[in-house]
Amino acid sequence: MSAPHPLSAPLDDGLRALGLELAPGARALMLRYVDELVRWNGAYNLTAIRDPREMLVRHLLDSLAVLPALRARTLQAGTRLLDVGSGAGLPGLLFAIAEPALAVTVLDSNGKKARFLRHAQRSLGLANVEVAEARVERWPHPAAYDRIVSRAFSALADFFALTRHLLAPGGQWIAMKGKLDDAELAAVPGSVQIRETLRLQVPGLDEARHVVIAESTT
């Protein structure tokens, strides 16, 4: 009988703290994702975080902390979600694992990160994931998205401006941030309505985390 994964118990503790239940097999896929990230990070320097336990907290649990808010906004089978500036697939790949009914696109213009995204999509068998290697403002994708997510991608006003052409009517932007800056919020144009700002609590992380949920008014 094989030994349990060293991150198995910490992942379970984190999921319980977040109040998250995962689809069958999702937990094992997330542990495999961490293993692949650690392996590729040695050669491709995908993230400055090297320790797997720190990756679990600062990458996995930090990304998954927004999932309850996303689920509360009526995710349906076939809901199209775009993760802009996905990097190593955070949070897009994790959302795809946790919610297999989502149709997720992970987009990054960095070649080595896009290569890792394609590798992770194949090795984890994520049939609901599409990888795009492009700058978002120059990516005229033919279909609009119901949710557009970013994790520390840019200032809010820039995020909304760069992705407006990809947001479906009635869709929502989900911006993951650290501290909320009053000046940054004030710079959001009148064509964007901020519906809600939520403070997130990431298990094991004593730092400010927020999510901003917004919609287009035009």
Side-chain angles (χ1 to χ4, degrees), residues 29-30 32-33 36 93 97 119-126:
L29 283 178
M30 288 189 180
R32 285 178 55 194
Y33 166 82
E36 292 299 325
L93 290 184
I97 292 171
H119 166 77
Q121 189 274 337
R122 291 191 301 268
S123 64
L124 300 179
L126 300 178

Side-chain angles (χ1 to χ4, degrees), residues 54-138:
E54 194 175 357
M55 285 182 179
L56 176 69
V57 173
R58 291 188 169 273
H59 288 331
L60 269 73
L61 297 180
D62 186 62
S63 294
L64 292 172
V66 78
L67 191 57
L70 199 63
R71 285 177 168 176
R73 276 144 189 86
T74 318
L75 292 181
Q76 300 174 344
T79 294
R80 293 176 52 79
L81 182 143
L82 172 66
D83 176 17
V84 177
S86 186
L90 302 160
L93 290 184
L94 301 181
F95 289 173
I97 292 171
E99 297 288 341
L102 283 177
V104 176
T105 299
V106 287
L107 180 147
D108 203 284
S109 61
N110 183 290
K112 64 183 180 181
K113 292 176 180 177
R115 285 194 292 276
F116 173 74
L117 292 172
R118 287 190 285 266
H119 166 77
Q121 189 274 337
R122 291 191 301 268
S123 64
L124 300 179
L126 300 178
N128 60 331
V129 170
E130 173 191 19
V131 177
E133 183 179 346
R135 296 185 63 85
V136 66
E137 65 271 27
R138 300 176 184 170

Side-chain angles (χ1 to χ4, degrees), residues 15-217:
L15 293 174
R16 279 193 295 270
L18 292 172
L20 282 176
E21 294 184 6
L22 297 182
R27 176 180 162 280
L29 283 178
M30 288 189 180
L31 293 172
R32 285 178 55 194
Y33 166 82
V34 177
D35 291 341
E36 292 299 325
L37 180 57
V38 170
R39 187 166 68 87
W40 275 61
N41 203 41
Y44 286 85
N45 195 30
L46 300 171
T47 169
I49 297 173
R50 301 292 178 178
D51 180 72
R53 286 181 175 267
E54 194 175 357
M55 285 182 179
L56 176 69
V57 173
R58 291 188 169 273
H59 288 331
L60 269 73
L61 297 180
D62 186 62
S63 294
L64 292 172
V66 78
L67 191 57
L70 199 63
R71 285 177 168 176
R73 276 144 189 86
T74 318
L75 292 181
Q76 300 174 344
T79 294
R80 293 176 52 79
L81 182 143
L82 172 66
D83 176 17
V84 177
S86 186
L90 302 160
L93 290 184
L94 301 181
F95 289 173
I97 292 171
E99 297 288 341
L102 283 177
V104 176
T105 299
V106 287
L107 180 147
D108 203 284
S109 61
N110 183 290
K112 64 183 180 181
K113 292 176 180 177
R115 285 194 292 276
F116 173 74
L117 292 172
R118 287 190 285 266
H119 166 77
Q121 189 274 337
R122 291 191 301 268
S123 64
L124 300 179
L126 300 178
N128 60 331
V129 170
E130 173 191 19
V131 177
E133 183 179 346
R135 296 185 63 85
V136 66
E137 65 271 27
R138 300 176 184 170
W139 190 54
H141 198 269
Y145 288 87
D146 306 297
R147 304 287 185 272
I148 301 181
V149 176
S150 71
R151 180 173 178 258
F153 169 67
S154 68
L156 288 171
D158 293 335
F159 171 48
F160 300 144
L162 291 171
T163 59
R164 180 182 294 276
H165 66 294
L166 296 169
L167 188 68
Q172 289 183 325
W173 285 290
I174 312 289
M176 302 170 66
K177 308 289 289 185
K179 292 182 179 180
L180 284 182
D181 183 80
D182 290 340
E184 183 179 356
L185 290 169
V188 173
S191 58
V192 175
Q193 182 175 7
I194 294 179
R195 291 292 188 185
E196 198 170 7
T197 59
L198 300 172
R199 184 179 179 87
L200 304 175
Q201 185 62 52
V202 179
L205 188 63
D206 187 21
E207 297 177 14
R209 290 290 188 269
H210 294 82
V211 60
V212 177
I213 300 165
E215 298 176 356
S216 174
T217 62

